[in-house]
Amino acid sequence: MSSVMNVIINLLVSTSYAMTPLTLTAVGEIVAERAGIVNIGLEGMISVSALVSVAVATYTLNPWLGVLAGVGAGALIGLIHGLISAYGKGAQIVSGVGINIFALGFVPYMIIALWGVAGYKQVPEAGRVPRIAGLVSPIFILCVLLAVFTHYLLFRTGFGLKLRALGEEPQAADTLGIHVERLQLIATVYGGALAGLAGAFMSLDWLGTITKEIAAGRGFISLALVVFSNWKPLLALVGGVLFGSSWAVTEWFKILPGVKDVIPVTLINTLPYIVTLAAVAGIIGKAKPPRKSGVPYLRE
């Protein structure tokens, strides 16, 4: 019985870790898209924020300063994307692609420049985020609270009503005196900060290292979760649990005796992505995106 309980506890803990970066990033992107700004540069934001987190935590040996630095890095990239998209009326997709391309070169270069190693840098134990009772990440708890808070903010407050109006009818919102560009900028900064927190979590908590591939597609999966959730933070939390649990089961499945001899590990690794794609494919057609999301607002 105890071995069964251990397996269940390990699966729950693994699920909490796998779901946290996806949920954080998706919730932040929901806020941005509800305000009319699409950001497909989430993959790059996670990677750059993870790098900044490790750099600060390594040199200060303070994990919380590292987390704050990661959040700040994500917010800064969100600010740049927001300035380009909201005030510059630039192509949002192009800006997002630019963020991803920048991260592809910047992260591996800085790993070599800062530590003289290629590939990865291990975080010192003193720089890692401590876990509650040795199991639960405080950032996981914060992730759940942020999803609930963001849902409340979007659907139960006047501020959230104004944000949602920007993604549906920015012209009408402007007519009512709502400062469209400023609110869009706030939304993209908030989304960037949450993606930054996801990167800090991955490097300082979950994995304890930085690599050039640390995001591993999670930015793109988060975009799929935004669609899965129908642009609702609480459903994004559910989607995060779905992917996280499938990832945890996959990791457990790989260590079962004899499994690797029958099924290649690379094939087993595709299971969480297949589950995510299947879930999103079932949702597509029913999901209703904000009408003006991704469309630069031009005042007439």
Side-chain angles (χ1 to χ4, degrees):
M1 179 63 75
S2 61
S3 61
V4 174
M5 283 301 297
N6 286 337
V7 169
I8 294 173
I9 291 172
N10 287 334
L11 284 175
L12 290 175
V13 171
S14 298
T15 297
S16 72
Y17 276 84
M19 66 175 281
T20 297
L22 298 173
T23 305
L24 284 171
T25 310
V27 168
E29 178 62 13
I30 286 170
V31 173
E33 293 196 16
R34 282 285 186 179
I37 303 294
V38 171
N39 182 7
I40 66 168
L42 301 174
E43 188 84 355
M45 295 172 80
I46 292 173
S47 297
V48 173
S49 299
L51 170 76
V52 173
S53 297
V54 171
V56 173
T58 298
Y59 289 112
T60 64
L61 296 181
N62 186 322
W64 301 114
L65 286 179
V67 171
L68 285 176
V71 171
L76 177 61
I77 299 174
L79 175 67
I80 295 171
H81 180 67
L83 288 172
I84 293 172
S85 304
Y87 285 95
K89 313 300 179 188
Q92 299 171 21
I93 300 300
V94 174
S95 176
V97 170
I99 294 170
N100 288 333
I101 292 175
F102 168 75
L104 281 175
F106 180 74
V107 173
Y109 170 77
M110 289 305 295
I111 291 175
I112 296 174
L114 289 174
W115 299 294
V117 296
Y120 78 99
K121 167 66 179 175
Q122 197 79 25
V123 179
E125 191 60 33
R128 297 192 61 172
V129 174
R131 298 178 180 179
I132 300 172
L135 289 175
V136 181
S137 167
I139 299 179
F140 160 69
I141 297 173
L142 180 61
C143 166
V144 175
L145 294 175
L146 281 170
V148 174
F149 164 75
T150 305
H151 194 90
Y152 178 84
L153 181 74
L154 279 177
F155 297 103
R156 292 288 186 274
T157 69
F159 182 76
L161 181 62
K162 291 178 182 176
L163 274 181
R164 287 187 286 129
L166 303 184
E168 298 291 343
E169 292 292 346
Q171 179 70 48
D174 195 9
T175 305
L176 292 174
I178 297 173
H179 198 301
V180 176
E181 288 84 0
R182 185 166 61 198
L183 275 188
Q184 287 182 329
L185 190 63
I186 292 172
T188 55
V189 170
Y190 184 77
L194 263 58
L197 181 58
F201 168 80
M202 292 194 68
S203 60
L204 299 185
D205 192 328
W206 186 17
L207 304 176
T209 186
I210 176 67
T211 69
K212 63 181 181 181
E213 304 95 355
I214 191 166
R218 286 178 173 78
F220 298 116
I221 295 173
S222 298
L223 288 169
L225 281 184
V226 171
V227 178
F228 170 85
S229 70
N230 203 13
W231 288 264
K232 295 178 180 175
L234 286 183
L235 286 180
L237 184 62
V238 173
V241 173
L242 175 66
F243 180 87
S245 58
S246 61
W247 182 89
V249 169
T250 300
E251 292 300 302
W252 172 73
F253 195 58
K254 285 193 293 188
I255 62 174
L256 287 177
V259 170
K260 288 191 293 186
D261 300 330
V262 179
I263 307 175
V265 172
T266 50
L267 184 60
I268 298 175
N269 285 337
T270 64
L271 179 61
Y273 301 94
I274 293 173
V275 170
T276 304
L277 286 174
V280 173
I283 285 294
I284 288 176
K286 303 173 186 174
K288 185 180 178 183
R291 289 180 61 245
K292 300 295 183 180
S293 184
V295 181
Y297 172 61
L298 301 174
R299 190 168 286 105
E300 295 178 356

